Amino acid sequence: MSVKAMEKMELVIELGVEEIPASMLADATRQFAALVADALAAQRLAAGGCTAWFTPRRIIVGFADVPSRQENLRETVMGPPKKVAYDAAGAPTKAALAFAEKNGVAPERLRSKVKVVQTPKGEYLSLVRTVRGEKTAKLLQSLIPAAIGKIQFPKTMHWSPDDFRFIRPLRWVVALFGGKPVKFAVADVTASRFTAGHRFLGEPKIAVSSLADLKERLRGNSVLVDPAERLEIIRTGLLAEAGACGGKLLEDPALLETVVNLNEAPSVVRGSFEERFLALPKEILVTVMREHQKYFSVTGADGELLPAFLAVVNLHADKDGLIRAGHERVLRARLADAAFFRETDAKVRLQDREGAMAGVLFQEKLGSYKDKSGRVLALLPGILEAVGAPELLEDLSTAARLYKCDLVTEMVKEFTDLQGVVGGLYAKAEGYPEAVWKAIYEQYLPKSATSPSPESRTGAILALADRLDTVAGCFSVGLVPSGSGDPFALRRQGNGILKIILDHRLSLSIENLVDKSLQAHGKASAETAGELKQFFEGRLRFLFEEMGFAYDCVNATLAAGHDNPLDTLERLRALEAMRQEPDFLSLASNFKRVANILGQAGAPGAEVDEARLSDAAEVALYRSYLKVRPEVGAAGARRDYGTALRLLASMRGAVDEFFTQVMVMAEDPLVKANRVALLHGISRLFEGLADISKIVIEKK
Amino acid sequence: MQAKNIQQIIMTLERFWDGRGCVIQQPYDVEVGAGTMAPETFLRVLGPEPYRVAYVMPSRRPTDGRYGDNPNRVQKHHQYQVILKPAPRDVQDLYLQSLVALGIDLRKHDLRFEEDNWESPTLGAWGIGWQVLLDGLEITQFTYFQQAGGVDLEPISAEITYGLERIATFIAQVDSIYDLQWSGDVTYRDIRHREEVEFSRYNFEAADVEMLFKLFSLYEGESRRLVAMDLVLPAYDYCLKCSHTFNLLDARGAISVTERVGIIARVRQLACEVARRYLESREKQGFPLLRRESAAAAAVEAGKAVAAQ
């Protein structure tokens, strides 16, 4: 059968939505493109290139070269068993006729079309059926609305008389296939060829015929559909305007993405504020401008802020300066507020706010922030002693008493993101030493597993103690993360504790920390301590894999202990470095056998009895063992794990020879026990280093 | 024509929404924190009856008082509240037309709808929507109500809450609300400044905490007693009084963070009970406003005709 070349056409879909939240736009568009692509593929429609654009009011996807109909499908259908389908005379029964009819085969063609096939269950009727491909335009009528309904948003709403839910009300849908509208309705909207331009600079109803036409007509109606194009315009505008006020743009990629997602026709407006506001700390100025007004800041040659801001607006230009004047007025009010907060806050010193902290609840079962501060204070001496820095106690104790006091300042009530930062700045202004104010300033670092830890040593220890108190406290009252539920972000806090330990190279025992913290909570319990041990093992595994270590090295290292995270990291590094050495790999592969043998042999016997060693290979191995044992011990004691592992790898030849020449499971039980004892001794050399039987050996 | 002062802004909005089929209501005579709390919003959005209403609502937020010293913060401001139930498809456009009616040229200003979902734990209510920013100034809260008094809403109402002082400062291009003209020759300062000074002192310093706690309990008891007698509307008044009393206690710093959650929950219980009983009561009455649904639609059409003229 000759098949006419399948016609291929363009599919264009635009969802016109009331302003979609900026943070959800890109993801929703990606989802929608993937949903449509998957739905086309599921219908055996192989589409060409996909385009995905968005603006605050629209999600646009286009697919090139979508076949105009499905290929015909030939499929084999199984029917009734032969013994039911044909009678004794070999004539087809009702069952056979029904099977044929159901699949569109006329009775007279039954013999030529229906075959008998052999299956494991016996002989059955079978036929090959041709399913005619459906027209794509028809399939799209249900495929597109289904895909729209499957876009996931963090929070949806209801607006139309049906049950349809979406991020914001859907107001129009353009759906064109080969330039013709696809007919369907979704929620209270009927798809058509009509889009809408910019709210104020464009026409409300514009007919379009293709993706390229949509893009160009919208451009003519003051809508730039491609976010990459908007980004370019905004960046260029920001750099030019920053230059125009004699400074440099303070780069802010997250804010840049936000403003790309907030505007259809972006341009940059430059404004200024009074110099007197520069007396406010830079952190506060930047936060006021960024968080509340979505303005970019400009810095001078010295890195300090200039009294200027850059706003991205949804119009081509601000010819009369009206918009600039409006934004300046708003910012002036905001900065005046911030200055007022600063002045008000300055009337009460941080140390005089300790009492007020008693009224701020940390957690219902864990008391107020004053209680928390007291517990953290109690943790400090132990931690400082363990890390060998008792001289920090005085400054850290001061910091721990004050570190949450900014929660009751006007500034933090208004700008909650600045918790800690405000406290640190205020402490600095009150004349506390750097070790104190920096500790307060940096207490919320690191923000994630990949962002920097506090720079200062006091900041690191305060941040660690604060998180430890939260994690241990929550576990002690049963607030334990489970599955996807972790309302107190304990996993993130656990990661923070470990990251600080590793970044600052603090040699600390988790068990010890946990015990101290549970005591401070008055909730010492072996069970909770056990849960926390497991929790930290999980966090450490996560962090190591995040750092790029191979999972089998992580497993091998953790299996040999993980109470001291810094020590664990050093063992892991040594192991990872050894992993590529042929001697080591060979040793590791033999160690799987050792682990098996020891597993079967049960409890280890006495020490090796040298007199009973008979085979030359076992004698050689024993000598080798005796030689490296003290050296491995010494290297381990000084945490030179690389040397320890290299020493162990040097036994490779002796181990190989042993396994080639010697039968461990000898008939004489005494000989056998002696050999097991030897292997056990060797395996004990790895104790506290790594369980190398967990190393995965790739087969060549 | 440009509305020039606060009362012209109010009159322009009254005319505009009158032309779109709204009942023009008067401010409710119990203290509230926002126009949403007035029965014309909180109760009317419940149930199937269509309704359109607009009204000015003086809104008291005791903690926002600044003794008349701050150019932008006051313990009482004025909202212009519009409820369109069900929300019409062109509700955003209607809203934008009302700004044009106030004389704002939207081709020369930067207007945007930025995500801001409204939620009131005290009322057991939430909605999805935006804050509307005009050249960076928040002038309106725009919400599609999803739930009120713990009840899922059907149909969905659109709520438009204009901040009258904000819009007025935008139009007049002044830095302080006290410099606004209220009428042709009387300023906002003339009318309101002394009130801000006295109420700030009252809210922050003078309010009798012990008495307020007593009142809270009395109001709460009365609301419960009334709702049990099916006196739903008086019961709601006492729920509102609880809410305002709570706000005063909060401004006096008399409520710790721990207590706060509990007290909010108590007010919410009252509001949810009132909402439930109100729905029952309307149902018993046969949802009277459903009968005039067709008449309402005709009024809207007539309104469009007026607007088109």
Side-chain angles (χ1 to χ4, degrees):
Chain A
M1 188 174 74
S2 79
V3 178
K4 196 177 77 175
M6 187 72 75
E7 208 183 338
K8 296 198 168 184
M9 307 202 282
E10 183 191 62
L11 172 63
V12 187
I13 308 168
E14 179 191 36
L15 309 180
V17 189
E18 293 185 358
E19 281 76 356
I20 302 169
S23 61
M24 303 169 192
L25 197 45
D27 178 61
T29 307
R30 266 193 299 275
Q31 282 187 53
F32 185 52
L35 285 163
V36 175
D38 290 350
L40 289 173
Q43 293 294 343
R44 312 192 307 280
L45 296 166
C50 170
T51 306
W53 294 320
F54 54 78
T55 80
R57 294 176 71 208
R58 54 199 97 222
I59 289 172
I60 300 170
V61 299
F63 288 89
D65 300 329
V66 180
S68 63
R69 61 160 61 234
Q70 289 173 312
E71 299 274 1
N72 291 347
L73 187 68
R74 286 165 65 79
E75 59 183 10
T76 303
V77 192
M78 298 303 291
K82 184 188 171 195
K83 60 182 182 217
V84 180
Y86 293 100
D87 62 19
T93 64
K94 270 188 184 166
L97 291 168
F99 171 61
E101 189 188 347
K102 193 177 135 206
N103 290 294
V105 175
E108 62 274 17
R109 302 188 64 197
L110 191 145
R111 295 222 176 250
S112 63
K113 289 280 180 192
V114 178
K115 306 274 184 266
V116 173
V117 294
Q118 187 67 43
T119 79
K121 286 192 278 177
E123 289 183 308
Y124 278 76
L125 300 200
S126 161
L127 60 78
V128 175
R129 177 173 70 172
T130 301
V131 182
R132 246 182 93 70
E134 183 63 82
K135 280 188 184 161
T136 303
K138 176 116 190 277
L139 293 167
L140 290 171
Q141 289 174 6
S142 52
L143 182 157
I144 300 173
I148 296 171
K150 280 188 201 147
I151 304 175
Q152 300 278 321
F153 295 101
K155 196 169 190 179
T156 58
M157 65 171 281
H158 166 55
W159 74 95
S160 58
D162 54 31
D163 287 332
F164 192 79
R165 298 186 74 88
F166 210 59
I167 179 67
R168 289 291 184 280
L170 201 57
R171 291 307 185 200
W172 76 84
V173 174
V174 173
L176 299 174
F177 184 56
K180 290 199 184 110
V182 182
K183 287 181 188 138
F184 65 88
V186 55
D188 53 355
V189 178
T190 308
S192 74
R193 62 163 68 254
F194 295 104
T195 183
H198 186 282
R199 268 197 193 285
F200 312 116
L201 306 176
E203 294 296 322
K205 194 171 180 188
I206 305 159
V208 294
S209 59
S210 69
L211 188 66
D213 187 45
L214 176 76
K215 186 178 192 185
E216 287 319 305
R217 279 184 198 272
L218 283 176
R219 183 191 300 283
N221 281 275
S222 296
V223 176
L224 298 175
V225 293
D226 185 351
E229 192 178 342
R230 297 198 300 277
L231 180 105
E232 202 40 52
I233 287 177
I234 294 172
R235 261 198 71 79
T236 309
L238 289 172
L239 293 173
E241 293 298 332
C245 50
K248 240 180 84 195
L249 175 69
L250 188 68
E251 297 280 352
D252 190 337
L255 181 60
L256 185 59
E257 187 184 334
T258 301
V259 295
V260 165
N261 295 357
L262 278 174
N263 297 285
E264 298 203 304
S267 62
V268 177
V269 167
R270 169 166 48 96
S272 60
F273 57 84
E274 291 146 84
E275 292 208 13
R276 68 184 171 102
F277 291 123
L278 289 175
L280 282 165
K282 178 179 174 182
E283 293 87 339
I284 290 171
L285 287 169
V286 171
T287 301
V288 171
M289 290 193 266
R290 184 219 290 134
E291 299 301 320
H292 286 274
Q293 299 300 134
K294 304 195 169 67
Y295 299 158
F296 289 83
S297 302
V298 184
T299 55
D302 55 358
E304 293 301 310
L305 286 186
L306 296 181
F309 68 89
L310 306 177
V312 179
V313 303
N314 194 22
L315 294 174
H316 298 309
D318 178 29
K319 267 187 243 137
D320 311 328
L322 291 174
I323 299 176
R324 189 194 69 225
H327 279 287
E328 285 178 342
R329 210 159 38 238
V330 177
L331 184 60
R332 198 177 307 139
R334 290 276 188 196
L335 293 178
D337 265 356
F340 172 78
F341 295 145
R342 180 69 192 96
E343 256 168 59
T344 310
D345 288 344
K347 289 177 191 154
V348 181
R349 287 182 307 173
L350 284 176
Q351 66 181 67
D352 296 330
R353 295 178 183 275
E354 279 185 64
M357 277 203 306
V360 185
L361 193 68
F362 163 56
Q363 205 281 329
E364 222 178 320
K365 295 176 182 162
L366 300 173
S368 70
Y369 276 100
K370 185 154 169 50
D371 299 327
K372 190 181 205 330
S373 158
R375 289 190 303 260
V376 166
L377 212 47
L379 283 175
L380 292 174
I383 297 177
L384 289 174
E385 194 187 333
V387 301
E391 72 281 4
L392 298 179
L393 185 61
E394 194 188 331
D395 283 342
L396 262 172
S397 298
T398 308
R401 266 192 293 272
L402 302 178
Y403 83 123
K404 293 295 180 188
C405 286
D406 67 352
L407 292 177
V408 290
T409 62
E410 296 301 317
M411 193 69 85
V412 169
K413 283 186 205 161
E414 184 73 12
F415 306 108
T416 48
D417 287 354
L418 287 175
Q419 285 173 42
V421 169
V422 165
L425 291 170
Y426 285 6
K428 184 181 182 187
E430 287 179 25
Y432 286 99
E434 182 168 319
V436 173
W437 72 258
K438 270 231 161 133
I440 301 173
Y441 187 96
E442 299 186 316
Q443 63 175 290
Y444 287 94
L445 303 182
K447 302 236 177 208
S448 75
T450 48
S451 63
S453 289
E455 256 179 39
S456 67
R457 206 157 157 80
T458 47
I461 288 165
L462 183 63
L464 183 156
D466 175 59
R467 286 174 172 81
L468 175 65
D469 176 74
T470 301
V471 172
C474 284
F475 269 73
S476 75
V477 295
L479 301 168
V480 177
S482 64
S484 60
D486 184 8
F488 297 91
L490 297 184
R491 292 194 185 106
R492 187 159 54 79
Q493 308 222 36
N495 297 342
I497 292 172
L498 295 172
K499 188 165 190 323
I500 290 170
I501 287 177
L502 300 181
D503 287 350
H504 277 263
R505 305 192 52 76
L506 305 174
S507 183
L508 287 165
S509 150
I510 291 289
E511 195 181 324
N512 208 333
L513 289 175
V514 161
D515 285 347
K516 290 245 167 61
S517 184
L518 288 175
Q519 274 167 28
H521 279 279
K523 296 221 171 63
S525 134
E527 197 193 332
T528 311
E531 285 172 14
L532 281 160
K533 183 181 170 189
Q534 237 183 349
F535 167 80
F536 278 107
E537 182 185 354
R539 295 298 91 210
L540 200 54
R541 183 185 303 279
F542 168 83
L543 216 55
F544 286 156
E545 286 176 10
E546 217 36 25
M547 289 161 87
F549 289 104
Y551 75 95
D552 60 339
C553 285
V554 173
N555 284 339
T557 308
L558 291 178
H562 47 76
D563 185 48
N564 183 323
L566 180 63
D567 184 64
T568 313
L569 174 65
E570 287 175 358
R571 285 188 282 116
L572 176 57
R573 288 210 165 110
L575 183 63
E576 181 111 330
M578 281 301 283
R579 198 180 190 287
Q580 303 310 324
E581 307 275 328
D583 280 354
F584 182 77
L585 280 178
S586 163
L587 193 70
S589 93
N590 273 324
F591 252 77
K592 288 198 197 311
R593 290 168 75 179
V594 174
N596 284 337
I597 292 166
L598 292 178
Q600 286 165 25
E607 285 293 300
V608 177
D609 179 354
E610 197 171 352
R612 268 188 211 286
L613 298 172
S614 52
D615 195 286
E618 66 181 326
V619 173
L621 180 60
Y622 184 61
R623 298 247 161 87
S624 168
Y625 162 68
L626 287 183
K627 180 175 172 292
V628 303
R629 186 171 64 177
E631 295 170 21
V632 169
R638 57 173 196 273
R639 294 193 173 177
D640 183 356
Y641 299 124
T643 301
L645 288 172
R646 265 192 303 282
L647 283 164
L648 288 163
S650 74
M651 295 172 71
R652 177 235 170 135
V655 172
D656 283 354
E657 197 60 17
F658 175 81
F659 278 113
T660 323
Q661 305 294 334
V662 179
M663 168 79 102
V664 179
M665 298 303 180
E667 277 177 32
D668 179 345
L670 290 174
V671 172
K672 175 184 158 188
N674 206 38
R675 285 173 182 168
V676 168
L678 173 57
L679 287 181
H680 191 76
I682 293 171
S683 107
R684 266 208 317 248
L685 293 178
F686 284 89
E687 263 173 23
L689 283 174
D691 178 351
I692 62 166
S693 69
K694 290 194 166 8
I695 297 292
V696 175
I697 314 284
E698 282 163 31
K699 300 227 164 60
K700 295 261 162 70
Chain B
M1 197 199 81
Q2 176 100 42
K4 288 194 176 62
N5 53 44
I6 291 183
Q7 66 193 34
Q8 284 182 5
I9 289 172
I10 293 172
M11 288 186 289
T12 305
L13 291 174
E14 302 272 47
R15 261 198 310 278
F16 181 87
W17 290 108
D18 169 55
R20 272 80 189 164
C22 284
V23 170
I24 302 299
Q25 261 288 11
Q26 302 307 314
Y28 197 61
D29 57 349
V30 173
E31 303 98 324
V32 294
T36 308
M37 303 177 88
E40 282 292 277
T41 292
F42 179 72
L43 297 177
R44 294 289 186 190
V45 297
L46 297 162
E49 296 167 273
Y51 201 61
R52 287 187 167 206
V53 65
Y55 53 93
V56 174
M57 194 69 224
S59 302
R60 298 201 191 206
R61 310 236 168 120
T63 46
D64 281 351
R66 292 291 183 270
Y67 296 85
D69 291 337
N70 185 293
N72 302 293
R73 289 204 199 214
V74 278
Q75 55 86 41
K76 185 174 97 180
H77 70 288
H78 297 80
Q79 298 185 341
Y80 195 84
Q81 170 85 354
V82 180
I83 291 293
L84 303 174
K85 178 189 179 188
R89 290 176 55 98
D90 60 347
V91 56
Q92 280 185 312
D93 287 332
L94 283 178
Y95 165 69
L96 295 172
Q97 284 163 26
S98 74
L99 297 183
V100 172
L102 290 171
I104 298 169
D105 184 346
L106 296 174
R107 287 162 308 174
K108 291 192 174 170
H109 291 283
D110 182 38
L111 183 131
R112 60 177 80 238
F113 291 85
E114 279 186 16
E115 175 189 18
D116 193 11
N117 297 330
W118 172 84
E119 185 178 15
S120 164
T122 323
L123 293 180
W126 65 277
I128 294 269
W130 309 271
Q131 51 173 328
V132 182
L133 301 179
L134 189 54
D135 294 346
L137 179 70
E138 183 189 350
I139 54 163
T140 300
Q141 183 77 33
F142 193 116
T143 307
Y144 290 101
F145 271 152
Q146 304 289 301
Q147 211 181 55
V151 177
D152 283 333
L153 301 180
E154 179 62 53
I156 297 297
S157 301
E159 178 196 59
I160 301 168
T161 304
Y162 302 78
L164 285 173
E165 282 87 347
R166 295 283 182 85
I167 290 183
T169 49
F170 178 89
I171 289 175
Q173 299 182 27
V174 294
D175 280 344
S176 166
I177 60 174
Y178 294 109
D179 296 337
L180 290 170
Q181 289 297 128
W182 189 286
S183 69
D185 59 355
V186 176
T187 65
Y188 196 89
R189 175 180 296 275
D190 294 335
I191 295 184
R192 296 236 40 253
H193 187 262
R194 183 69 197 167
E195 191 184 342
E196 283 300 316
V197 174
E198 289 195 12
F199 271 97
S200 294
R201 276 191 59 196
Y202 171 73
N203 298 337
F204 291 128
E205 302 165 37
D208 182 337
V209 170
E210 205 181 317
M211 179 202 75
L212 289 173
F213 271 120
K214 266 188 219 151
L215 282 179
F216 184 91
S217 294
L218 288 172
Y219 291 151
E220 185 186 27
E222 186 69 346
S223 181
R224 285 183 195 287
R225 191 177 72 84
L226 294 173
V227 86
M229 295 169 68
D230 261 344
L231 291 171
V232 180
L233 301 176
Y236 187 58
D237 272 11
Y238 281 94
C239 168
L240 291 178
K241 285 175 194 287
C242 280
S243 167
H244 181 60
T245 308
F246 162 74
N247 289 342
L248 286 172
L249 285 165
D250 197 24
R252 280 291 269 127
I255 295 175
S256 74
V257 181
T258 329
E259 291 169 309
R260 195 186 167 80
V261 182
I263 295 184
I264 289 176
R266 276 158 72 184
V267 182
R268 181 169 61 241
Q269 271 170 16
L270 298 177
C272 290
E273 186 58 17
V274 165
R276 198 173 65 78
R277 297 282 187 136
Y278 175 82
L279 257 180
E280 281 173 14
S281 153
R282 294 301 290 184
E283 190 169 12
K284 262 187 234 153
Q285 298 167 58
F287 293 123
L289 290 174
L290 275 180
R291 285 199 294 274
R292 49 173 282 287
E293 192 165 11
S294 52
V300 173
E301 285 309 309
K304 278 187 190 155
V306 170
Q309 278 165 16

